[in-house]
Amino acid sequence: MSIGLLSLILLALATAGYLVARTRAVASAGGDARRLHSLPAFHGRLTAMSVLVPAAVILILWLIFEGFAIRGAALSQLKPSDVPDGSTMDLIMSDVGRIADGLNQLEARGTELAPLLASPDALAAALKDVGVAQGGAPTPDTILAAQASREALRTSRIGLSIVTLAAAVAGLVLVLRRITPEFRARNATEALSMWLLIGASLIAVGTTLGIVLSLLSETLHFFRLYDFRDFFFNLTWNPKFTGGSDLGIWPLIWGTIYVSAIALAVAVPIGLFSAVYLAEYASKRTRAYVKPLIEILAGIPTIVYGLFALVTVGPLLRDWISIPMGIGNSSSSVMTAGLVMGIMVIPFVSSLSDDIINAVPQSLRDGSLGLGATPSETIRQVVLPAALPGIVGAILLAASRAIGETMIVVLGAGAAAQLSLNPFEAMTTVTVKIVSQLTGDTEFNSPETLVAFALGLTLFTLTLCLNIVALIIVRKYREQYE
Amino acid sequence: MKLEREVAAETIKIQARKVQVHYGTNHALKDVDVDILSKNVTAFIGPSGCGKSTFLRCLNRMNDTVASAKVSGSILLDGADIYDPRVDPVQLRAKVGMVFQKPNPFPKSIYDNVAYGPKIHGLTRSKAELDEVVESCLRKAALWNEVKDRLQSPGTGLSGGQQQRLCIARAIATSPEVLLMDEPCSALDPIATAQVEELIDELRSQFSVVIVTHSMQQAARVSQRTAFFHLGHLVEYGETGTIFTNPKDPRTESYITGRIG
Amino acid sequence: MKLEREVAAETIKIQARKVQVHYGTNHALKDVDVDILSKNVTAFIGPSGCGKSTFLRCLNRMNDTVASAKVSGSILLDGADIYDPRVDPVQLRAKVGMVFQKPNPFPKSIYDNVAYGPKIHGLTRSKAELDEVVESCLRKAALWNEVKDRLQSPGTGLSGGQQQRLCIARAIATSPEVLLMDEPCSALDPIATAQVEELIDELRSQFSVVIVTHSMQQAARVSQRTAFFHLGHLVEYGETGTIFTNPKDPRTESYITGRIG
Amino acid sequence: MTDMTDHPLLMPDARTKARNAAERRFRAYGLTAITLALAALVWLLVSIFSAGLPAFKQTFITFPVTLDAATLDKSGKLDPVEMAKVTTIGYGKLIDKAFAAEIEAKGIAHEVKPKELGDMISEQAGASLRDMVLANPALVGQTIQFQALANGRIDGYFKGRVTMETASRDKNTSPEKLALADKLRDAGVIAVKLNPGFLTMSDASDKRPEAAGLGVAILGSLYMVVIVLCLALPIGVAASVYLEEFAPKNTFTDIIEVNIANLAAVPSIVYGILGLAIFINFAGLPQSAPIVGGLVLTLMTLPRIIIPTRAALKAVPPSIRDAALGVGASKLQTVTHHVLPLAAPGILTGTIIGLAQALGESAPLLLIGMVAFVKDFPGLPPQGLFDPAAALPVQIYNWTQRGDPGFVERASGAIIVLLVFLVVMNAAAIYLRRKYERRW
Amino acid sequence: SARDQLQIAGSSTVLPYATIVAEAFGEQGSFPTPVVEGGGSGAGRAALCKGVGEDTIDIANSSSKIKQSDIDTCAANGVTDIMEIRIGYDGIVFASDIAGPDFALTPAAVYSAIGAKVAKDGALADNAAKTWTDVDAAFPAQDILMLIPGSKHGTREVFDIKLLEEGCKATGAYDLYLATAEGADDKEKGANALKACHTLRTDGVQVEIDGDYTETLSRLDANKQAVGVFGLSFYENNTDKLKVATINGVVPSVETIASGDYPVSRPLFMYVKKQHIGVIPGLKEYLQFFLSEDMVGADGALVAYGLVADPEVEKVRAMIDAEEVMAPLQ
Ligand SMILES: Nc1ncnc2c1ncn2[C@@H]1O[C@H](COP(=O)(O)OP(=O)(O)OP(=O)(O)O)[C@@H](O)[C@H]1O
Ligand SMILES: Nc1ncnc2c1ncn2[C@@H]1O[C@H](COP(=O)(O)OP(=O)(O)OP(=O)(O)O)[C@@H](O)[C@H]1O
Ligand SMILES: [Mg+2]
Ligand SMILES: [Mg+2]
């Protein structure tokens, strides 16, 4: 049974379960739903969930782990002597996988398999025909292994169908049988829902794990090629095409901090004041229009900002500020990129803060205004502290966006990695270098490319520290209202 | 009502004329005329929902914050129309303080709650002076003994009655000329109520106090004048003694004797 | 207290033993033992901040929502410990309804406020039945006449006293077995108060009612038993008549006669 | 009342004056902030629209083409397989010939070399005509009025991008051709018209900017955004609800909280690395497919929805939860019936901003093969989710890198499309947010 | 089911040519249009070497020759048969704003403008040239500002070798570097001296461009006095904005590059997974089409677009027909 069909059957079972359970629940109470502990809908939902959730969990876990079993089955057919020089068991196994795949396709086409299985050459040709590439030519052993893996897969799928359907039916029957007026269907539904909610939260944890793991192995690879002391303590970033590069991270970190700081210095005041104005002063109508308008700023592709920085803001700053003041003549500068990035992240601060400010109960404002405070005093001393967690969250999001931005930095700040205090000089950021090192023309296994992973991991750690600090600050200053 | 007008000539603190309030289509206050005298306690009584709080909130323009509320008519404070566009509601509210019906302490420490007013109005010059003000206000509001050991814990963690007294302390800390108190003793036990009533009497020596109450006894005890509201109308206004012993309007009489609500 | 125990043998609805509550370091309730009888109105009195609300919130585990609150001791409802981990607080709260000290209507329409409980508990079968429940509850809470034309306007746009009655209506709409009312009449005028007291009396025929009040008169009027709290202790508990006429503890006497607060 | 000017209420003391001045300043800051933000927006929009609007118009050349049976259907049997053997080059020659004939027929004098006349027509013309004929073999032998795209330089000439002077230095066109184009326009052969192809055609190579369209990219973006919306919003809200309302407050949940905030700070390209590792290398999903793009963007968007949602949940006053719990609602009911509706504005804002970023992001797509030249349209879902497709930001990114200046205009046009797409997509969210907004 | 369109990834320099071919290839009607990705030569080769099978790409475009490390990765993943196809050359040109003065550059001038140290009175001195006149009196009196490719670009390698090293030698700086170079033997010293020649000034007279040529063009727009590095085809599409500089007196064009007169160019490659030929439909046909007369002939589409065709194209065609695998690197 294919996975799709299986899913359809499960869905149908769940729907049926829902309907049956509802009626059964009402019937069990003698037609008077009021006698039920839980509403009929809860009985229905519980049944549907008991059909779906365990079955889905089994299905997913099965699909993840079945690969290992199939691999084992195939491996058992292979001998060490099957691995030619210069190849590895892994390579042979991927060939086996492809042969099995090709055989399935051939079978689906109605090709007679027996003669192919007997003759590796015929099989090779037939596989090409269905578009299955091979690392090496099939051998009798690999064919055997492929057959074994197909067999294992077939058995596994039959097992899967049986087990999931059994689980689904068991769930259905178990719940249906327990339906009585006293049955706490709501509690059970909620307990199950809770697991779904927990599952949703775990996705975030899983993502982190995934990120760390996918960065870690290449980072270690990088540190095998490049001394970590140079990476962390060298103060120059100067990769060369032909190798022998200086890959000190500090200029990049400095650039990241500098650009983000300028961006926040632009976005936080503008965003916060906009939010305050919109939430506290503006009329409902104004707010209804202005808020979405400002949000467009977050949706404009960054390339537009980049060009805006490069073509408009950069020369403007150069001609009106940096050259007259004698502090540089570069049109790309941290200042340019920071300013423009600041504009881009305004809505992060303004819209999110606006919502939170708006959620502060009116009675608090009344309390303050009633004491003769001006609206601005009320906002600064009562409303903003009460909205602090949300505002800090908004600022963190803005900072995150700034740290992650590439296009604006590339076009606005230039590509020069340097440690300088002068905001009118070109600099660059970690993220920009991650992208450019990852997409350049040098070979992948060189420190120049792999450094991207180390940069990613370092940045990850740094932002983690930043977030911990932010959490501590929020905890310390939060004012919990009733 | 003729009587007061004459007497009041020099001591009228607030003069309200033809005050009307609409909440959207709900006509909550209809043509209310009241004179509130200085150095006097005025009690507003009337069944729940009759418009007492609404009128109170008109007196320091707190209704400005309710989007749906429309206020018309004139209210003069010391002869100046408080709805005049030139009037700064902030300054008005500094002069006309308010204790709300639902206690609404700030989510700050107890100390900061009381110190808030003096700070924004710059009433104290030093930390020590501020400490003093906070203590004396909390004492006056009969809360000091209960909270003196936890001044730094949040005001929202107090019991209902404690919050109410905190709000009273917060309001008197700014020394307003007129203090509007919306059911300030509703959550207080008799002893605390007596203390607050004492405070009100004390305040009267310098300021005007307007108090909304559901307790006739309280109105009779603390106020010199009483206004009776009913369904948005000011039915009767006069000397407290007269209102309670010799009401002119039959509705007043029925209310006082507990027949309409 | 010996006396009740004997009588109560078969009709004790709630039995609290050695209940202690800490808010962080603040020891708010100390060793409280109370038996609440079914088909009875029990009044909690005591000075503000003595722990009445705290104890009330223990009875339906609303203190679970206060992160800093730690409750110990045992509370039995119909003989079952409500703090038992197997107990579903939701079901408990459906049985033990609550009217909070500060009125907290949902920011929804008046109708939805009252209909919410019946809806989630599946108490009605049709819209018409629900309408009926809403109307009867609002009538019982003495609010129907004031809001019947604006059932769809938000409950938060009501006056303080109206909100309080709305919360009463909301609480009785789920027909709880025990109703906890924290100062339900604090914002009500005498007439409305009388109506609510009437309601309480009516409820008593089937349910238990626990009421917190600052008004000795009210306690005396509506309750059969009265508990006096002071500084976190349950000082005295007994027949209302006895408590008010012949208190055993000197503190109770001072409180009733208005000497301590 | 007659003399009110010296009334204490109207004569604020120095401190009040100062406070009021502070108040006015504060308000002014607010207004200034909004004005600045809006000014930046207007500036950006004006520059986008002025550069991008021309992309929605295109220069077309219309002339009769005789679909010669001898060249197009040598077998004479209208056999589609046989007919398909005639390549676009064959059709191109036919078109060139017909164009030259038309000029002659109209009696227009010009100085363009006969061999170069065909350069005025887009190379796309042959492909279009071929598609037309293969779709409708009955056309063979007839003479049809054919509307061909003009070459990008001619198009640029009518849009002011190319001038006689630049043409003289340009080896891809010549002033003579532009002069001829002028005459052809006067003769009604060449006209600038609205170009629906910009929205419906797929990308084209550097040689034919005039034929490049956004069809594949719009479809790809649509698929991805739908996936993101269907996954990120429910998962994000579920996770926030769990963490904010149910999870015990302990070190572990603190770690999760910090962790989610930190995920938002992970550069988007790192999500590409992650997507490559789990969705393509581990799960075996295909390269360049919207399903992978959608999943990667979902992971990227999740923290951007969770953070605002948690903040919004935190902002709902506890008294409302108490009220619901007090009437016997379960925690989950309390949350779904009361807390979520009140937190809805914040959640929707998070969604709006999260989707805006997801829609505009191209870096993570770089690593999963979506920053690509994709000519063929993906199929309908669900199968189409696995077909190669591009995305709007990717298309913009690609076009801004092309050498031919014609692509600059198209990139700006694509940005307009992206913005419109975004506004349309968020309109519902904005509407709902307004509806749920309330003060309490 | 098997993949039916080709998947190609790699160098962004090759990308425009590859898309032109892919588009035309698709229009022939026999095969679907291949999916062509950019992403850089390194990433393209890494993707090629990920393994064999329909979930891996078929062709990696590359603007530099494959490295041994890539070949090793490939082998480790079972990609043992790789074909190397040289499709032609990319000319690298210097151009400045159309309204500005003409530049007749030489490697020596470029080095003297942006090299970190220059030979001065027989010793190495910090480069202090501010304007082009400081470099050579014949140049315009204009501030020096060169927009050069970032260090991850294949173009940079060519720039380093063909201009900086040559210029370094021509100005005598190389000899001075060599004299002080460290190293065990002459060879190592020489290598170190050459590396030293790659060192550039950091006072803002040169700006590395991490993006693409459009970025360089925009930067030129913002800084009218700058001289930028472009690909020949990009320049030819933007002759209305750009003025090209000669090198050693030679004007860059398809012809001068093909003949070798113009010194700065680099070969472009396709690396093909031979194991996919005959498996993924159209792979070989695509290769043949790429190098057909229609494409790389004198009037071919690619040449018209600015690709410099390989003079030895016949050899390459024969190699494709024979499906010849590349020889090990020296
Ligand atoms: N959430 C809280 N956090 C900390 N302390 C609290 C909290 N709620 C109440 N308390 C404290 O516990 C004690 C008892 O409070 P409780 O609310 O039970 O008093 P009460 O008897 O209801 O008083 P009132 O009549 O004023 O409502 C008080 O000292 C109060 O300050
Ligand atoms: N914000 C509001 N929006 C709409 N209607 C309101 C609002 N506030 C009060 N009302 C209505 O206005 C009328 C008067 O309300 P008000 O609060 O002044 O009554 P009150 O006399 O203070 O009553 P209580 O003693 O119950 O506090 C009532 O009918 C009430 O429902
Ligand atoms: Mg009121
Ligand atoms: Mg209380």
Side-chain angles (χ1 to χ4, degrees), chain D residues 202-257:
Chain D
S202 52
D203 193 9
S205 74
D206 273 44
K207 296 278 284 177
R208 27 179 119 151
E210 64 278 0
L214 285 169
V216 175
I218 290 177
L219 214 55
S221 273
L222 184 70
Y223 286 176
M224 289 201 290
V225 162
V226 170
I227 293 174
V228 174
L229 190 64
C230 293
L231 291 178
L233 184 58
I235 295 179
V237 171
S240 319
V241 164
Y242 176 72
L243 293 173
E244 204 51 54
E245 304 282 336
F246 295 99
K249 300 279 172 276
N250 56 29
T251 327
F252 180 68
T253 43
D254 282 354
I255 291 175
I256 297 188
E257 173 167 359

Side-chain angles (χ1 to χ4, degrees), chain A residues 318 320-329 422 424:
Chain A
R318 178 194 57 195
W320 291 94
I321 299 185
S322 58
I323 290 184
M325 284 173 64
I327 43 179
N329 58 359
N422 183 353
F424 292 96

